[in-house]
Amino acid sequence: MEFQHKSVLLSQCLEALAVKPDGIYLDGTLGGAGHSSQIAKRLTTGRLIGVDRDEIALCAARQRLAPYMDRVTLVHANFQDLDRILQDLGIPAVDGILLDLGVSSPQLDDGQRGFSYMEDAPLDMRMDRSAGLTAFEVVNTWPREELRRILYAYGEERYAPQIAAAIARRRAAAPISTTLELVDVIRSAMPPRALREKQHPAKRSFQAIRIAVNDELTAVERVMGDAISRLAPRGHLAVITFHSLEDRIVKNAMQDAAKGCTCPPEFPVCVCGKKPQVKLLTRKPVTASREELEDNPRARSAKLRACEKL
């Protein structure tokens, strides 16, 4: 598969990062290197560290970044290990960090990856194909109550109890092996009015299972604190999210870091001693323009938040 991916909110990300020619930047979700190629292009004596858990993405990025490899370091890792990555590279702080969360277009479009509910494929959904847990294991071995929980918590699926029950019934007869088998089970559990909605009936469930397989929310929670602490003074953090659960984590982490003091409002003076760590660069999330949406409909749910280290 050719790893081609349209970068979402590209100009807005570059503006938020304010790339300096001699700066050190980390792209924790390298993908097809659309954002990173533009960062590297702006560097002279600076350095770009490109991180991705998907080895296919890293191979594609190496080709796209070929003109700039004298200033690029590629790392096969999960972005949640940002602190260890920088420690291993002997880099105490960076001038900018970009995180473009969610699934890239090539991962969605490659039938064998199992992310898409539009074509038949083995139930996989691993962003890192060397990882152990697959969607097949989640769907066929996790307890019914745990399935209900993740469908509701990660997919915000209002029919989570019915879908979890339908999965449990179907797998009792035979394992659910492919994406379209799972879509069929999900459809069977939903009332006719839900099937008539504009959104595909399996979208929320697939999102939930993908998040569980890749432990995505834990990764976002973990990386936010490390990213802020690893920024150099006046360094910028830019994060793109694609659903409300991720956006809430990013928003709260940035707001907490910008607030500093955690004393109760009734305290006359601050006793916690906590100072603001960052300045918010985006009071509200930045979203795609009408022109970008016409060119790339997958940008519709993208939200960019950014902050600057004090």
Side-chain angles (χ1 to χ4, degrees):
M1 180 195 65
E2 211 174 315
F3 206 101
Q4 296 295 328
H5 176 61
K6 289 184 178 179
S7 300
V8 172
L9 300 172
L10 178 58
S11 62
Q12 296 93 326
C13 282
L14 294 171
E15 182 181 350
L17 288 172
V19 178
K20 300 184 297 185
D22 60 347
I24 301 176
Y25 294 87
L26 184 142
D27 184 345
T29 47
L30 186 62
H35 291 104
S36 273
S37 62
Q38 291 302 312
I39 296 171
K41 183 180 180 180
R42 287 160 170 76
L43 300 178
T44 52
T45 58
R47 193 83 187 155
L48 170 69
I49 302 147
V51 179
D52 207 289
R53 63 198 301 189
D54 188 338
E55 290 191 89
I56 295 174
L58 283 172
C59 289
R62 187 179 299 278
Q63 295 179 14
R64 189 163 189 175
L65 293 169
Y68 316 111
M69 284 307 292
D70 61 321
R71 65 201 79 160
V72 173
T73 300
L74 299 182
V75 181
H76 179 222
N78 189 323
F79 64 78
Q80 71 173 335
D81 297 322
L82 179 148
D83 198 59
R84 178 188 58 78
I85 293 165
L86 291 177
Q87 186 175 337
D88 289 348
L89 293 172
I91 299 172
V94 295
D95 297 291
I97 296 171
L98 172 64
L99 300 171
D100 179 2
L101 306 176
V103 185
S104 66
S105 299
Q107 288 170 330
L108 285 171
D109 295 338
D110 180 1
Q112 294 309 301
R113 302 299 294 270
F115 288 105
S116 176
Y117 41 77
M118 301 301 290
E119 61 178 295
D120 210 18
L123 275 176
D124 193 323
M125 299 194 193
R126 291 173 297 173
M127 292 183 183
D128 179 354
R129 301 188 83 169
S130 67
L133 184 64
T134 66
F136 178 90
E137 186 176 342
V138 170
V139 168
N140 289 287
T141 69
W142 282 21
R144 170 179 162 180
E145 181 56 28
E146 181 63 4
L147 285 176
R148 184 206 63 77
R149 185 190 71 80
I150 66 168
L151 291 173
Y152 186 77
Y154 299 165
E156 300 175 295
E157 174 55 74
R158 60 189 181 276
Y159 300 110
Q162 296 93 320
I163 294 170
I167 289 172
R169 287 193 300 270
R170 180 72 69 91
R171 73 189 188 188
I176 301 169
S177 300
T178 71
T179 51
L180 291 190
E181 283 180 54
L182 180 58
V183 169
D184 182 57
V185 176
I186 293 167
R187 283 183 182 276
S188 73
M190 300 176 80
R193 66 179 180 276
L195 299 177
R196 290 193 294 269
E197 292 177 2
K198 185 177 180 181
Q199 182 171 267
H200 192 286
K203 181 177 180 179
R204 291 182 292 267
S205 295
F206 269 60
Q207 172 184 296
I209 295 166
R210 190 203 79 220
I211 288 172
V213 167
N214 297 287
D215 200 15
E216 292 175 34
L217 298 184
T218 301
V220 177
E221 288 173 349
R222 181 174 171 182
V223 78
M224 285 304 296
D226 288 344
I228 289 170
S229 66
R230 281 288 191 168
L231 285 175
R234 303 198 68 180
H236 290 197
L237 169 63
V239 186
I240 303 172
T241 61
F242 288 86
H243 58 76
S244 59
L245 300 173
E246 288 175 339
D247 183 58
R248 194 175 306 134
I249 294 170
V250 173
K251 174 185 175 182
N252 291 342
M254 288 189 179
Q255 288 184 342
D256 289 347
K259 183 172 63 174
C261 176
T262 57
C263 294
E266 61 269 21
F267 278 31
V269 294
C270 174
V271 296
C272 73
K274 293 184 178 178
K275 303 292 184 184
Q277 296 176 270
V278 302
K279 175 179 71 175
L280 298 180
L281 299 176
T282 51
R283 291 290 171 182
K284 292 183 177 180
V286 177
T287 56
S289 65
R290 183 183 302 173
E291 292 76 17
E292 179 171 2
L293 290 176
E294 288 175 357
D295 183 56
N296 184 14
R298 283 177 176 167
R300 182 167 288 106
S301 56
K303 293 181 179 179
L304 169 67
R305 294 185 185 272
C307 62
E308 178 183 315
K309 185 75 172 282
L310 296 175

